[in-house]
Amino acid sequence: MTKYTLDINGKKVQVEAEPDTPMLWVIRDYAGLKGTKFGCGVGLCGACTVHLNGQPVRSCSTPVSDIKKNDKITTIEGISDNLDHVIQQAWIEEQVPQCGYCQSGQIMSAVALLKAIPQPTDDDIDTYMSGNICRCGTYNRMRKAIHRAAAMQKGK
Amino acid sequence: MKNTVSRRKFLQYSGLTGAALILGVSGNNASGATTVANLSNLDEGYNLSPYVIIEKSGKITIFNTKPEMGQGTFQSIPALIAEELELAPGQFTVLQTGGEKKFGNEQAAGGSYSVRSSYETLRKVGASAREMLVSAASKQWNVSEKECYAEFGRIFHKPSGRSLGYGELVETAATLEAPENPRLKDPKDFRMLGKPSKRPDIPLKVSGKAVFGIDAEVPGMVYASIERCPVFGAALTDFNPAGALKVTGVEQVIPVERVFGNYKTTGVAVVAANYWAALKGRKALKINWDYRGNEKFNSADYTQYLRDLAANEGITDASTGDFDAVYAAAANKVEAFYETPFVAHATMEPMNCTAHWKEDNQLEIWASTQVPSDIMNEIPAMFGISADDVTLHTCFNGGGFGRRLAIDFVVEAVSLSQKIRKPVKVIWTREDDMQLGPFRPPTFSSFRAALSPDGKLTAFQHKVIAPTILSFLMPQQDKTKVDEPMVEGISRQAYEIPNMKNTFVFADCPAPLLWWRSVTSSTLAFSHECFLDELAHKAGKNPLDFRMEMLTKDSDTKRVLQKLRAVSNWDAPLPEGKGRGIAQWDFFAGLAGQVIEVTRLSDNSVRIDKVYVVIDLGTVVNPDTVKSQMESAVVMGISAAVKKGITFANGRAEQSNFHDSPVPRITESPEVVVHILAEGGSTIKGVGEPGLPPVAPALANAIFNATGIRLRKMPFDLDDLRG
């Protein structure tokens, strides 16, 4: 067991874990943030997507020992306090989620997309979002919601 | 006081479906109705089914008995009550029931049945409550009930403009006789029903706050991962836990049984302080299995086995006229053989369950499940305890699609917790989910048909060859009778066929099987509606005209096809290189039709451009939910049509995760245009499943139209159609 001090959503979290423990389980079961989900365990579905220093990563395939001292981790719980991120608002407007299980990961990918490309094209959306599976098939609504969020952001 | 009596009467009356209402009164206080109920002091002694609790503070809680798995019941079911009770969406809290007896025995979501089974009864619950509140207000004001009305959680006195909130009236209301026949609102006055409504679960699902089964957290909880033999029907011989026990965090290694209907297998559970340790320990296990000969099971032989079975006559499902004679004498005969694969459900949330068998033999369960009632019926029976000692927390389901109609993963968790006397969370890996089943069974279809010289269908036979789901669920299935779920829809389409004989041939299968969104219709619609397309072309007719000629009488199917013709511009020629196909399917869940347009990219490949969906509902509760369910069904239908299903070698599934059993991604989701036929009428049809069956046949028919390639086998590869 090794002690780690992690910066998750701007808070310091101390955990004691085996170095090969994936961040997914550290976030969920050590830091108690359940919004990040387990889907495939091997980085194929994107349900576990979080941001590492602003970049989307698959937490199920990122061992806690890979996290460096000043790294900042952001999870779904950390993107806004009151559902006021434009992606969340657009997701509600378009009524995107169905079962909702993949949506934390989808939203983390979409947030990263808008940060990188504030006015994304459909091709940009394909590139950024194709790593995230939604078994309910909410893809068309996500695409619409991303365009809506981009427009909202522009209007701000 | 007749408080108790009247409430009993009310409950009896609404007990038609087990639905009932308690108006915020604790039964401990039969004489005074002074205690306002809340969740902690509701009286269990009444054997009631309280769907609504109105507290004196004005807080209103509506219970949802149909698990939410993405299909929208968290909104649509409470809305049935709230509409009649004159509540706006923000004025009440929704709570999910956990299989408690007082909520009846139909706490289950499946068969596209939730809304249609509740539509009348739950509206009556809401209407009764409304009338009692109106009556209470009129008494309080000493005015005529006719002068009072309910709106947005208050009762108003029209002439004076006075009003009282429901919370202020609930004590009086609870002393009143419940109306025998409450007046239901005229649908034209609906504020919520029939209009797009926002779902209350969505804010939770975009903030990470929605609690799924896997998110359950119990103090002192341990985690378990279970190694189950990947060869179906194998038995555990012995195991060596030493390697697993060396892993830091691993606490125990114990065998645990997976029970799924008739199918029982024993696996080895590694229990650890954290899930990662349980997984690592599991990999370090040494286990010997007795494969019992099942290691020979493989897809190549199994496919041949099903093909060979097609030589059997089979058991007749339904017949009209004299198929044998007319077919024998016909000059223009058409035959075809269709094949479909096994598929996995692949819900995004892998199976999991948390169970806590406590020292006092009280059992608490947290699960994503479609069937709270089944859990509360079966778990006590299996473990020899009373249902009163079991508390179930029904969580949001991270996808269901039929997989969570089984409770095998619940049995595992409960039995583990019983053994270790600790709260334990069992989580299946994605590999477990892909490989261990249950799977949707394949259906093979053998067709024979005859056409008259003027191109009319004179004789038709659809013979289904398939292993059956019920064989896994029922101890003594009578195999001399048709297994109805395996032939669903094939004999009940609205098409008027003068000489028809549809039959069924039983097949055996060692792999566990289960319902999958739209079940056998997801394969039978493909073969059936593609073969009709073949016949249309053989007859030299437009595929839609050919179908319409068989629909001389009025029917819902006829209206769906007419609407599809209009909305898809069926009669407008498509540009060069494009093709379109049509299909419809009417089955236990409901009725929908689709036109799919494709673009031919090469001799051997196409792209899906657009899907037109017409769904026939009669009555619609939330059109936006219906629309999203159609979008969802289209993507899942495409998944089943074009993505590799599950194949077997050496007794086990060859696929293990999303790399070798892929599902569609955002780049593969075509435009979907939805039209809802909701023109009233007595029947309400289902929503969750009907959008799926027409996808594969409409797509295959469009591909034929664009390329001339006739696909008779699912899955097909859009990039390599001849593959």
Side-chain angles (χ1 to χ4, degrees), chain A residues 96-100 103 136 138, chain B residues 68 70 199 201 205 628-629 632:
Chain A
V96 171
Q98 289 186 26
C99 90
Q103 295 293 334
C136 298
T138 63
Chain B
E68 170 64 58
R199 295 169 43 193
D201 49 321
K205 289 173 177 177
S628 68
Q629 282 298 294
S632 170

Side-chain angles (χ1 to χ4, degrees), chain B residues 6-137:
Chain B
S6 69
R7 214 178 313 127
R8 279 193 191 287
K9 196 168 174 187
F10 171 75
L11 290 159
Q12 236 168 17
Y13 136 75
S14 58
L16 292 169
T17 60
L21 164 74
I22 180 166
L23 271 179
V25 174
S26 164
N28 291 332
N29 204 335
S31 61
T34 52
T35 309
V36 173
N38 58 38
L39 284 178
S40 57
N41 67 356
L42 265 182
D43 178 31
E44 309 285 329
Y46 280 107
N47 193 23
L48 308 182
S49 315
Y51 275 73
V52 182
I53 297 173
I54 300 172
E55 295 177 45
K56 262 172 107 173
S57 64
K59 182 172 189 266
I60 300 174
T61 305
I62 300 183
F63 289 90
N64 174 30
T65 54
K66 305 295 184 185
E68 170 64 58
M69 52 183 171
Q71 86 284 39
T73 46
F74 206 67
Q75 185 274 326
S76 58
I77 297 296
L80 299 174
I81 295 172
E83 176 69 61
E84 296 287 346
L85 192 45
E86 296 294 357
L87 293 170
Q91 291 186 299
F92 58 93
T93 304
V94 181
L95 287 181
Q96 191 69 42
T97 65
E100 300 89 340
K101 271 190 205 136
K102 62 190 172 189
F103 293 111
N105 208 23
E106 286 177 22
Q107 295 168 68
S112 304
Y113 208 58
S114 295
V115 164
R116 53 191 169 133
S117 63
S118 312
Y119 190 74
E120 289 291 325
T121 52
L122 291 188
R123 284 175 60 210
K124 277 186 183 170
V125 166
S128 290
R130 183 194 67 225
E131 291 194 355
M132 291 163 85
L133 289 160
V134 163
S135 182

